[in-house]
């Protein structure tokens, strides 16, 4: 049963459906089988399972209507069911496009003016952890920002590319091959970026980094933890050593940890300490007119001068240790101690 379910969800459903119909269909089939099995039984059983089957049909229709509403692009593969919605009501006078994986938003872009179209939104606002890291990592004495090398684990809508300036080099790592065509063609962050070059490396980010020469990133963004399934192989001592090898001297790692289910700040602080680095948590507030969400980031660096800059110091806070928490490795990890109860 488990093997059959895995094949149906992981292999068959992506070939047949564009959306996540798996759960409603599973309930419908279960109710239908129960109705068939109890058809010769008492009338109350026929009524119960007949009503359940009808209810599941109604739920399936409602789910289908909800998925179709405002959806302009929908694609599903082994990794995810992605869809892009477009609405003209959430922010008056604009059109808002949003990339979703299930119910998780992986990027939003506001079309209405050049300023809004080029403004990073959702979790990537200028006052967010990543906004501060990209601005203050590479300041020159005159207050300008020198050319930067930026690595990003997780492409999404390509929102981080909005920070690109002449001379910058961006390298995104994305495991889902369906994401890049959406980011390049449906959203404009990447193709309108001011960066000198933008590359997308397909496949698992840790494997790609492990096999490549040191990249010398001024900022390495690890943005793969906002969904329900946390890829723990990106949060171990071994992974941290790989990140450190690709980081330029005095560089910054930016971990995006906005998550409803787990608090990843304490484990990251332990990993940073093991590498002789500092870790600070930065939380930013939502700004609905600009499409900005509340966001939590952890910045990690061995550059004390970076954290001492007035704006960074004002927005960053030490991470409170969690008693009994062990450092995560490729051989050990435990989400139970960091669950949000």
């Amino acid at each position: 049963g488990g093997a059959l379910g895995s094949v149906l969800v992981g292999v068959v459903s992506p070939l047949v459906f564009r959306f996540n119909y798996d759960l409603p269909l599973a309930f419908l089939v279960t109710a239908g089988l129960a109705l068939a099995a109890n058809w010769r039984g008492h009338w109350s059983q026929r009524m119960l399972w007949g009503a359940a089957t009808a209810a599941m049909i109604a739920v399936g229709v409602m789910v289908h209507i909800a998925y179709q509403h405002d959806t302009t692009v929908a694609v599903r593969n082994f990794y995810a069911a992605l869809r892009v919605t477009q609405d003209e009501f959430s922010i008056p006078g604009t059109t808002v496009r949003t990339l979703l994986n299930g119910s998780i938003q992986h990027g939003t872009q506001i079309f209405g003016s050049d300023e809004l179209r080029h403004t990073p939104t959702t979790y990537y606002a200028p006052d967010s952890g990543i906004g501060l890291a990209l601005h203050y990592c590479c300041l020159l004495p005159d207050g300008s920002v020198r050319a930067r090398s930026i690595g990003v684990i997780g492409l999404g809508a390509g929102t981080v590319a909005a920070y690109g300036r002449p001379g910058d080099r961006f390298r995104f790592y994305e495991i889902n091959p369906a994401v890049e065509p959406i980011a390049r063609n449906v959203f404009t962050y990447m193709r309108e970026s001011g960066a000198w070059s933008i590359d997308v490396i397909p496949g698992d980010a840790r494997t790609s980094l492990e096999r490549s020469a040191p990249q010398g990133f001024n900022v390495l963004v690890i943005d793969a933890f906002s969904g329900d399934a946390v890829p723990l192989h990106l949060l171990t001592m071994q992974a941290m050593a790989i990140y450190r090898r690709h980081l330029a001297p005095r560089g910054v790692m930016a971990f995006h940890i906005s998550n409803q289910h787990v608090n990843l700040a304490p484990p990251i602080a332990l990993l940073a300490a093991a590498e002789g680095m500092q870790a600070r948590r930065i939380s930013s507030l939502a700004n609905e007119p600009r499409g900005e969400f509340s966001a939590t980031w952890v910045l990690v660096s061995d550059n004390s001068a970076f954290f001492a800059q007035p704006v960074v110091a004002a927005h960053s806070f030490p991470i409170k240790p969690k008693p009994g928490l062990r450092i995560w490795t490729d051989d050990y990890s435990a989400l139970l101690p960091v669950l949000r109860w």
Side-chain angles (χ1 to χ4, degrees), residues 133 137 217-221 247-248 250-254 299-301 306:
C137 73
F217 293 129
N218 300 112
V219 177
L220 177 57
V221 184
L247 206 63
R250 302 164 65 86
V252 179
M253 301 180 201
L299 303 186
V300 175
S301 179
F306 167 77

Side-chain angles (χ1 to χ4, degrees), residues 82-98:
L82 303 172
R83 61 191 180 103
V84 177
T85 62
Q86 181 167 301
D87 76 83
E88 300 176 353
F89 307 103
S90 56
I91 301 179
T94 68
T95 297
V96 179
R97 291 179 187 168
T98 302

Side-chain angles (χ1 to χ4, degrees), residues 146-276:
R146 61 182 170 86
R148 304 159 297 181
S149 177
I150 311 297
V152 186
I153 297 176
L155 174 59
T159 311
V160 177
Y163 287 100
R165 299 178 179 180
D168 289 348
R169 177 177 67 94
F170 281 76
R171 173 159 288 188
F172 290 90
Y173 297 86
E174 177 56 53
I175 195 171
N176 187 344
V179 174
E180 183 180 358
I182 294 175
R184 289 193 182 276
N185 299 306
V186 181
F187 299 87
T188 68
Y189 289 123
M190 295 178 69
R191 65 175 182 263
E192 294 182 352
S193 173
W196 173 67
S197 70
I198 298 178
D199 300 321
V200 178
I201 308 302
D204 177 73
R206 175 172 165 176
T207 302
S208 299
L209 289 168
E210 198 167 10
R211 294 175 177 173
S212 66
Q215 297 296 306
F217 293 129
N218 300 112
V219 177
L220 177 57
V221 184
I222 302 94
D223 181 19
F225 312 118
S226 58
D228 296 340
V230 176
L232 287 178
H233 72 295
L234 299 178
L235 284 175
T236 66
M237 284 185 62
Q238 292 79 2
M240 198 71 171
I242 295 172
Y243 304 153
R244 188 78 184 272
R245 183 170 68 88
H246 287 279
L247 206 63
R250 302 164 65 86
V252 179
M253 301 180 201
F255 292 83
H256 181 206
I257 62 166
S258 304
N259 193 297
Q260 298 180 12
H261 309 290
V262 291
N263 176 18
L264 295 175
I268 294 173
L270 283 180
L271 293 172
E275 286 287 331

Side-chain angles (χ1 to χ4, degrees), residues 26-40:
F27 283 138
L28 174 59
V29 171
T30 302
L33 288 174
L35 176 62
N38 290 280
W39 189 256
R40 295 180 181 275

